[in-house]
Amino acid sequence: MRLFYAIFLPEDVQRALAAAQERVSRYRGWKEVPPHQLHLTLLFLGERPEKDLEDLIALGHRLGRQVPPFAATLKGTGYFPNEGTPRVWFAKAEGEGLALLAGALRSGVVEALGEEALKAEGERAFKPHITLARRKAPAPRVPPLVFGLTWPVEAFALVRSELRPRGPVYTILERFPLRGEHGREQEEGPGERAQDH
């Protein structure tokens, strides 16, 4: 199964980004990400055997107990690649906990499953962003936007991605609340499961 760890957005941030996506909706070459699927990928794992799930879920809960909630901010838009023909239009994200969480997930996955488990992610530097649209055919760049949107990050998730002709379907396999050191005394539950996006 195709897996990744991600942070999903609250509805008010989804609405603001959906309004921004109207900038490209007039061009058939851009395909917008549906608002309910907008997310920030912390670590892409690619195809993993089902037997890895137990370790990946345990890692998520362990980090959720260690990392406290934090604020994330969306600053403005950019393109991948930045020069030449863009393939992706995205919103840049910042937040003290983003690199911390992404780095801890990388380390934890290597510890639990070995370096091979990072093959899909490769050596790419972590650039926190939310993909707004993908370019499928010739279409112009749109002028940059500035957001200044901030939201509290209180959880992240392990997600299964199924590629289908009409677009990917995301299923949250497990949600991991961020509790930090103060959460260690709280009761540990199994988390929330199985929510399609």
Side-chain angles (χ1 to χ4, degrees):
M1 60 181 67
R2 194 166 182 261
L3 301 173
F4 62 95
Y5 288 104
I7 293 168
F8 283 87
L9 308 177
E11 288 186 7
D12 57 334
V13 178
Q14 289 179 17
R15 283 195 295 273
L17 294 182
Q21 289 173 315
E22 292 175 8
R23 298 292 184 100
V24 297
S25 62
R26 75 186 83 166
Y27 305 112
R28 298 184 68 181
W30 285 108
K31 184 175 182 185
E32 305 100 292
V33 175
H36 68 281
Q37 288 190 343
L38 290 168
H39 66 274
L40 190 156
T41 299
L42 293 166
L43 183 66
F44 180 69
L45 296 163
E47 289 291 335
R48 301 303 311 166
E50 193 164 343
K51 68 180 177 57
D52 288 355
L53 273 181
E54 187 178 340
D55 286 331
L56 294 171
I57 289 171
L59 171 63
H61 282 298
R62 187 168 73 247
L63 294 182
R65 288 192 296 271
Q66 295 171 356
V67 178
F70 59 90
T73 301
L74 294 180
K75 294 288 191 180
T77 56
Y79 291 96
F80 291 137
N82 191 36
E83 304 291 334
T85 302
R87 292 189 307 274
V88 169
W89 184 49
F90 66 88
K92 303 171 195 172
E94 293 179 4
E96 237 176 71
L98 294 175
L100 172 69
L101 203 47
L105 283 168
R106 266 188 95 91
S107 302
V109 166
V110 170
E111 187 180 322
L113 303 174
E115 288 278 354
E116 182 274 337
L118 294 183
K119 186 173 58 178
E121 181 74 6
E123 296 299 320
R124 287 179 293 188
F126 176 62
K127 294 181 179 175
H129 69 278
I130 293 160
T131 296
L132 299 173
R134 293 182 175 85
R135 190 172 177 273
K136 301 295 185 183
R141 290 175 180 245
V142 296
L145 296 175
V146 176
F147 298 112
L149 291 168
T150 297
W151 82 97
V153 177
E154 297 173 332
F156 66 104
L158 179 64
V159 185
R160 181 177 64 208
S161 169
E162 296 172 87
L163 300 178
R164 296 184 182 173
R166 303 185 86 178
V169 173
Y170 300 146
T171 302
I172 293 179
L173 300 178
E174 190 86 358
R175 192 182 301 274
F176 312 108
L178 297 179
R179 289 179 281 184
E181 293 182 353
H182 299 296
R184 288 180 179 173
E185 295 172 6
Q186 296 178 5
E187 182 180 345
E188 295 179 13
E192 301 167 24
R193 292 186 180 219
Q195 182 180 347
D196 290 339
H197 280 262

